[in-house]
Amino acid sequence: MKKILFSLVLLLSALFTSQFVAAAADLEINTPAISAIKNSMQARHGQLAAYYASGAIGLTNDGLIAVRDANAVPLKDRGGLNSAVAAENADRNKLYKEIATANGHPEWQAEIQSTFAGRWIDKAQAGWWVQGAGGWVKK
Amino acid sequence: MKNWMIGVTLACVLPACVTINIYFPAAAAEKAADKIIDDVWQLKNGGDKPNVNAVEPASTPAK
């Protein structure tokens, strides 16, 4: 009898926990590692903003950025452009991975990345280039 | 008999827990993405002036 009662309590507590988990469904994004990546990306954005606006770079549909039209940048600045894009993509990949591991689910990285891909493009300013299904599109 | 019942209960409850943990919280992920993008692109600064294009020379006297 006691055992049945115990298993009933177990069942009820399991149900409650599951509801709690569903209610408190916020992802952890306030870790030191995530903040550090965010700060680095924020600092770099000052440089990238001009490149977005000129169409030299665009937002890809996989949550990264890419050089779209290197001719929009003077020859002498192209090295800086390429290294900024590479550094930004490295940060972005680190960010997606870090969010997944901070929440105890490294296997979520790809889904987090595709979620970000849609949000970056949604929030991009008018005039920026974004990658759609059929190629580059100006917002 | 009782052990058998406990076994059945556990068999029902444990997969449920596993399912909950594997499920990807898409809405929470979007919320997290929005928060991070707002920070990185400085779209909303919690009431502060929106300095999206804060490159204007604020105090450069004429040349």
Side-chain angles (χ1 to χ4, degrees):
Chain A
M1 184 60 192
K2 263 189 189 165
K3 275 190 179 171
I4 296 183
L5 239 141
F6 174 69
S7 55
L8 208 81
V9 170
L10 200 79
L11 181 81
L12 279 177
S13 63
L15 282 175
F16 269 104
T17 341
S18 66
Q19 259 176 352
F20 175 72
V21 168
D26 258 357
L27 285 188
E28 171 65 72
I29 50 170
N30 290 319
T31 70
I34 294 174
S35 299
I37 300 168
K38 239 167 56 176
N39 287 341
S40 147
M41 290 171 72
Q42 198 178 322
R44 188 180 304 108
H45 184 62
Q47 183 191 359
L48 292 181
Y51 295 145
Y52 288 124
S54 70
I57 60 175
L59 297 158
T60 64
N61 53 15
D62 60 356
L64 301 173
I65 64 172
V67 175
R68 205 199 115 254
D69 178 17
N71 293 325
V73 175
L75 198 58
K76 66 177 173 60
D77 293 333
R78 280 186 205 163
L81 167 75
N82 286 325
S83 57
V85 168
E88 173 74 7
N89 283 336
D91 268 356
R92 287 185 176 211
N93 281 319
K94 255 198 306 190
L95 175 72
Y96 305 144
K97 188 176 176 183
E98 207 50 61
I99 295 173
T101 49
N103 288 278
H105 288 278
E107 76 278 7
W108 284 355
Q109 186 182 342
E111 279 166 293
I112 288 171
Q113 179 161 359
S114 72
T115 304
F116 267 84
R119 300 312 296 151
W120 287 118
I121 287 176
D122 267 16
K123 284 175 172 277
Q125 287 176 29
W128 291 10
W129 288 82
V130 301
Q131 213 174 37
W136 290 109
V137 185
K138 194 173 188 176
K139 269 193 82 172
Chain B
M1 176 63 178
K2 280 177 189 166
N3 274 338
W4 178 80
M5 286 186 75
I6 292 173
V8 169
T9 314
L10 282 181
C12 293
V13 171
L14 285 180
C17 295
V18 172
T19 312
I20 285 156
N21 281 333
I22 282 176
Y23 160 73
F24 177 70
E30 278 203 7
K31 222 171 98 182
D34 282 352
K35 231 188 264 176
I36 289 177
I37 294 171
D38 286 349
D39 279 356
V40 170
W41 283 353
Q42 301 184 342
L43 299 177
K44 288 174 208 152
N45 262 339
D48 274 9
K49 52 198 163 140
N51 42 355
V52 177
N53 287 319
V55 272
E56 280 168 69
S59 58
T60 15
K63 323 154 217 187

